[in-house]
Amino acid sequence: MKKYLIIGSGFSGAVIAEQLSKNPDNKILILEERNHIGGNCYTERDKETNIMVHKYGPHIFNTDNEGIWNYIQNFCEMIPFVNRVKSIYKSEVYSLPINLHTINQFFKKNLNPREAKLFIENIAQKNIVEPQNFEEQALKFIGKDLYEAFFYGYTKKQWGCEPSELPASILKRLPVRFNYNDNYYNNPFQGIPKEGYTSIFEKMLDSENIEVLLNTKFDESYDLSGFDHIFYTGPIDAFFNYKHGKLSYRTVFFEKHFSEDDYQGNAVINYADPEIPYTRIHEHKHFTPWESHYKTVYFKEFSKETEEEDIPYYPKRLSKDLEILSKYETEKEGLEKITFIGRLATYRYMDMHHVIGEALEIAKDFI
C-alpha cells in the first residue's frame, strides 16, 4: 500500500488524486483549507435565484487539446459556450477582443480586413522593436488610441500598477482580429459543464481510496513522515513559511446585486474607464443559456493587492518577485518526495486546461 498526501482540491490536486486512485493499493489524503472542494472553480446555486454561480469569478473551459477536452467530459456533460465579451469605454459599447467591428466602430470607418490591417500597421508605434513591458507591447500592436481605450485603464485597475511595470507577455494572450469574429477565445473546444464545476470535482474524488479533509490548513507543523509522496498545490512561498519574502499577487472581490429579468444582456462586460472602480460585471444566468430564470444575479468585480486573509488569484511576476521565486526554486530542489504543481505552487498564470494537462502529465510520469 502507498500513501499519498495532496494539499489542495482544485484541478491540480483533484486530477492527481483521480489518477492515483485507479490503483486500489493507493490511499490518498487531500487537505483542503476551504469548506469546499474545487478551488477557484467552485460553483453553487444561488439561494435566491437558483442560478448556477461561479463563486470566484467566471470560468469558461476552453482548450486546443482534444485529449484534455475528452478527459474532462468523463466527469460532466460539457455544453458548447462562446464567450462574447463587451467593453464599455466613454459610454460606448465595443466588442472584444479587438476585431474588425471594434476598429470600424472606434475610428468611425468602413474598412475591409486588408484595409484594417494596413490601418493598424500605420498607427502602431514602429519605433518599438523589442517590447520591454505591457505598454510597449500594446503600442507596438495597436497604437496609442486603442491602447488607451481598451487596455490602459482596465489593466491599471486589474494589476494596481502602471502597465509599463508589467511584463509584455501578459498581452500576448490577447489577440487582434481583422474579421468580425468576436469569440473571446481562439481554442476549438469551448464549453461550460451543464451541472457546474463542483460536480466535476465530486465525481473525480468519488473513490474509496480518496479521503478529503475540509477546513484543514496545511503548514510546516504537519507530519509528512507517513506518506510515500506529497503533491503540493498551494503558494510556494507559504510552503517555506515566507523565509525569502512574500510573492505578490492580485486578488479580486465581488459586489453582489440582484435584478429582475436581464440586467446587462451579456455574460461579461468590461469597464475600461479608469475612473470606474470595478473592472467588469458578470451576470451568471448568461453562462447557462439552457436554463430559464426570471430573476438575475450579477457581480461587480474589483481588483486589489492580496492581503493575508485574501485568496491569491494572479501572480504579478514583477522583477522583485522573480528574484524571490528563484530562491524558493533552489529550496525546492533540495526536497525529496514532494512535487510542486499548479498555478500557486509554480507561480505562473495558468488556464484550467493548462492545469489539467500538467497534472495528467505529472501523474503519468509518476505512476
Side-chain angles (χ1 to χ4, degrees), residues 64-324:
D64 59 353
N65 187 313
E66 188 172 5
I68 293 174
W69 179 250
N70 292 333
Y71 171 77
I72 199 67
Q73 290 184 96
N74 290 321
F75 311 99
C76 69
E77 179 184 352
M78 194 67 77
I79 306 294
F81 181 89
V82 176
N83 193 26
R84 304 189 189 279
V85 177
K86 307 302 176 189
S87 180
I88 294 179
Y89 175 68
K90 293 186 176 179
S91 301
E92 290 278 342
V93 182
Y94 297 93
S95 174
L96 287 183
I98 292 174
N99 58 60
L100 190 55
H101 189 190
T102 318
I103 295 167
N104 279 329
Q105 180 185 359
F106 186 83
F107 292 105
K108 295 180 171 54
K109 293 183 178 294
N110 184 21
L111 304 173
N112 63 35
R114 183 181 59 81
E115 293 168 337
K117 190 172 184 179
L118 290 173
F119 178 79
I120 295 298
E121 288 176 355
N122 286 331
I123 65 172
Q125 295 195 4
K126 301 180 180 64
N127 61 321
I128 301 173
V129 180
E130 288 293 333
Q132 299 301 304
N133 55 60
F134 181 103
E135 184 169 280
E136 289 186 358
Q137 183 79 13
L139 294 173
K140 178 180 172 65
F141 270 170
I142 56 176
K144 181 181 178 181
D145 292 337
L146 290 174
Y147 164 65
E148 291 184 346
F150 299 111
F151 294 110
Y152 176 76
Y154 186 92
T155 303
K156 189 172 181 179
K157 290 187 291 184
Q158 177 78 358
W159 293 96
C161 63
E162 289 295 326
S164 58
E165 299 177 56
L166 296 169
S169 58
I170 293 176
L171 191 58
K172 289 178 181 176
R173 299 187 302 106
L174 302 175
V176 176
R177 301 194 182 113
F178 296 101
N179 55 35
Y180 289 101
N181 177 13
D182 63 350
N183 184 343
Y184 194 73
Y185 302 110
N186 285 320
N187 289 327
F189 306 106
Q190 304 177 33
I192 289 180
K194 185 176 181 181
E195 300 301 327
Y197 285 94
T198 301
S199 65
I200 294 176
F201 294 96
E202 290 171 345
K203 292 181 176 68
M204 281 185 171
L205 303 178
D206 183 19
S207 169
E208 294 180 354
N209 299 352
I210 300 174
E211 179 185 3
V212 181
L213 297 181
L214 300 177
N215 301 303
T216 306
K217 186 176 177 63
F218 172 83
D219 58 35
E220 67 276 7
S221 66
Y222 202 89
D223 183 11
L224 303 177
S225 60
F227 298 96
D228 293 280
H229 200 85
I230 297 96
F231 296 91
Y232 180 78
T233 73
I236 187 171
D237 52 352
F239 183 88
F240 293 103
N241 201 25
Y242 310 106
K243 63 187 293 186
H244 299 299
K246 288 190 175 184
L247 296 168
S248 62
Y249 291 87
R250 292 293 283 180
T251 190
V252 296
F253 63 96
F254 308 102
E255 190 178 277
K256 187 176 184 179
H257 299 270
F258 294 99
S259 183
E260 293 184 349
D261 194 22
D262 191 342
Y263 175 72
Q264 65 180 14
N266 200 53
V268 180
I269 296 182
N270 290 357
Y271 285 78
D273 296 284
E275 60 271 17
I276 295 177
Y278 44 88
T279 56
R280 60 182 181 170
I281 295 178
H282 24 97
E283 187 174 4
H284 289 235
K285 71 189 300 179
H286 294 294
F287 293 120
T288 55
W290 54 89
E291 296 182 357
S292 179
H293 302 276
Y294 175 68
K295 286 189 174 182
T296 189
V297 57
Y298 63 93
F299 298 83
K300 293 181 178 180
E301 181 176 317
F302 300 81
S303 178
K304 73 182 190 73
E305 287 298 298
T306 302
E307 299 178 48
E308 188 172 349
E309 298 302 317
D310 293 325
I311 296 170
Y313 274 69
Y314 306 108
K316 295 184 74 171
R317 293 182 65 88
L318 304 179
S319 57
K320 64 179 182 179
D321 295 312
L322 298 181
E323 291 175 8
I324 294 173

Side-chain angles (χ1 to χ4, degrees), residues 324-355:
I324 294 173
L325 178 63
S326 67
K327 295 177 182 179
Y328 289 126
E329 292 284 355
T330 301
E331 295 265 4
K332 185 179 72 173
E333 291 172 3
L335 299 176
E336 297 181 356
K337 301 196 311 180
I338 299 179
T339 298
F340 290 76
I341 175 176
R343 178 175 54 91
L344 299 179
T346 60
Y347 196 61
R348 293 176 294 159
Y349 183 89
M350 301 173 71
D351 289 324
M352 285 182 287
H353 65 112
H354 296 137
V355 172

